[in-house]
Amino acid sequence: MARKPAPPKPTPAELDLLRVLWPLGAATAKQVHEVAQRDRPELAYATVLRLLQIMHGKGLLVRDESERSHVYAPAHAQESLRTSLLKDLIHKAYSGSGKELVMAALRGHVSQEEKDEIRRLLQEDGE
């Protein structure tokens, strides 16, 4: 059985638009622009449209062209893309060691509440 190829890697700007699209499911460029502007009021509609077109070309989005306004949707589930990006980060920055990534995260990027939650999860997993 052939392995499914990893999803293409989005740029930070593309990832921002994916974060808008994942909860929406599918949306027109205008709808994506309206939601994205809540966090980035300076974001131009033309920029959003161009990024959506590029993302479609890269295989990050699918596009329904049956209506006058094209509807864009993520081509990959959020978890699938996150897993791919995480594997790449572990490989590149931590020499393939997931433990090193976790240790780095725990050293200053995790709140006490998050540490407690992780501890509970590990205890449940060990039982």
Side-chain angles (χ1 to χ4, degrees):
M1 179 183 258
R3 284 181 55 186
K4 190 175 177 182
K9 302 214 177 350
T11 66
E14 292 168 347
L15 196 53
D16 285 346
L17 290 187
L18 282 168
R19 285 189 196 107
V20 169
L21 270 167
W22 277 317
L24 295 174
T28 64
K30 181 180 178 186
Q31 292 166 325
V32 172
H33 178 245
E34 288 171 354
V35 174
Q37 268 198 315
R38 293 176 193 159
D39 291 329
R40 294 187 51 207
E42 78 288 353
L43 190 60
Y45 170 80
T47 302
V48 171
L49 177 60
R50 185 70 189 126
L51 269 174
L52 292 173
Q53 292 167 339
I54 290 168
M55 292 168 70
H56 175 256
K58 287 174 69 172
L60 287 166
L61 300 177
V62 292
R63 180 171 64 197
D64 177 359
E65 300 175 4
S66 63
E67 300 293 324
R68 185 171 183 268
S69 293
H70 296 169
V71 176
Y72 294 88
H76 306 278
Q78 184 174 12
E79 234 7 80
S80 169
L81 189 61
R82 280 182 173 173
T83 299
S84 175
L85 292 171
L86 186 58
K87 283 180 183 177
D88 191 49
L89 175 66
I90 291 170
H91 176 73
K92 287 180 178 176
Y94 296 96
S95 302
S97 173
K99 175 187 157 205
E100 291 299 319
L101 170 75
V102 171
M103 296 304 289
L106 290 174
R107 282 190 198 103
H109 304 283
V110 178
S111 70
Q112 186 58 49
E113 183 180 317
E114 291 169 325
K115 286 179 185 178
D116 293 341
E117 185 178 344
I118 291 166
R119 194 171 287 117
R120 282 192 299 275
L121 178 67
L122 289 172
Q123 288 171 345
E124 289 171 9
D125 197 40
E127 294 174 3

